[in-house]
Amino acid sequence: MIQTCPACYRADDVRWSRLPEQMISYVCDDRHEGAGPHFWTAATGSREPTETATAGVTADLLEPLFLCVHEGDPFVEYGVVEYRLRTDFPALFHTHVAERGHSISGHPAPTASSVRFAATLGRLADRGDLLKTWGPATGAWRRNDRVTYWATPSTPPTPRLSWAEFCESIGRSAEWTTTDVDELCSGRPRH
């Protein structure tokens, strides 16, 4: 089982060791914005982690994010995947945004978008369920120089579908709209 750090929501730097009384000690060696390693414990043999580990669990995102990368699509820019999560699984999306914020609101990292969703996609890639590559960021995502593109394992490496191209195909702006800002800053879907 992959354990995600409750401080940075990443799994890459997490190590563990067994403790007495059916407990596991975890440490994440990430820098955590200068705070250094993060430590926590969880019970073994239990499906329920201790309260300190619960914050990092993103298991509820695995299947929905997998379903947001469609078979037959080319590699799609991260913004396309997040948009599909937002529209296809609005309650789940907005629960995570309400808990961790979204970069659109100027919320400092880590946010649901920058960490939880990205880390979960990374877990899917680590399992071989999705493929990841890097490419240019477009539209509202261009504040990043590069961004991830996602596809199913049977997808050839080209062509790609950027966020801007996707937005054009569905008739919406590739930039954040007032509706996007209102919705993402409130953490609640608009009806």
Side-chain angles (χ1 to χ4, degrees), residues 4 16-17 25 45 61 66 72 93 103 105 111 132 135 150 170 181:
T4 305
W16 63 275
S17 60
S25 171
L61 291 168
F66 174 75
F93 176 85
S103 56
S105 65
T111 65
K132 172 179 105 172
W150 299 91
I170 63 169
V181 173

Side-chain angles (χ1 to χ4, degrees), residues 100-122:
R100 294 301 307 161
H102 195 282
S103 56
I104 194 174
S105 65
H107 192 280
T111 65
S113 180
S114 68
V115 178
R116 286 186 181 185
F117 304 154
T120 304
L121 286 165

Side-chain angles (χ1 to χ4, degrees), residues 16-186:
W16 63 275
S17 60
R18 293 197 184 277
L19 298 173
E21 300 180 11
Q22 297 185 349
M23 296 294 288
I24 297 178
S25 171
Y26 293 96
V27 62
C28 177
D29 292 320
D30 188 75
R31 294 175 297 170
H32 299 99
E33 297 184 30
H38 182 74
F39 300 86
W40 73 100
T41 59
T44 62
S46 168
R47 299 187 131 192
E48 295 296 324
T50 60
E51 186 174 304
T52 55
T54 303
V57 175
T58 56
D60 61 337
L61 291 168
L62 285 167
E63 184 175 354
L65 279 167
F66 174 75
L67 295 172
C68 291
V69 179
H70 300 165
E71 186 73 38
D73 275 356
F75 274 83
V76 294
E77 188 175 345
Y78 170 82
V80 175
V81 179
E82 184 179 293
Y83 180 81
R84 289 174 176 167
L85 181 67
R86 180 176 157 195
T87 57
D88 296 351
F89 303 92
L92 177 66
F93 176 85
H94 289 287
T95 295
H96 282 276
V97 169
E99 289 174 5
R100 294 301 307 161
H102 195 282
S103 56
I104 194 174
S105 65
H107 192 280
T111 65
S113 180
S114 68
V115 178
R116 286 186 181 185
F117 304 154
T120 304
L121 286 165
R123 288 170 64 189
L124 289 165
D126 290 345
R127 293 183 350 183
D129 295 335
L130 294 178
L131 298 176
K132 172 179 105 172
T133 191
W134 290 88
T138 65
W141 300 98
R142 74 176 172 274
R143 70 183 184 283
N144 306 305
D145 291 332
R146 296 181 333 137
V147 70
T148 53
Y149 282 69
W150 299 91
T152 58
S154 61
T155 305
T158 57
R160 294 180 178 170
L161 178 65
S162 73
W163 167 247
E165 293 165 330
F166 174 78
C167 288
E168 185 177 332
S169 75
I170 63 169
R172 70 154 277 149
S173 171
E175 302 302 325
W176 296 123
T177 65
T178 304
T179 301
D180 293 326
V181 173
D182 290 347
E183 181 180 332
L184 293 172
C185 289
S186 73

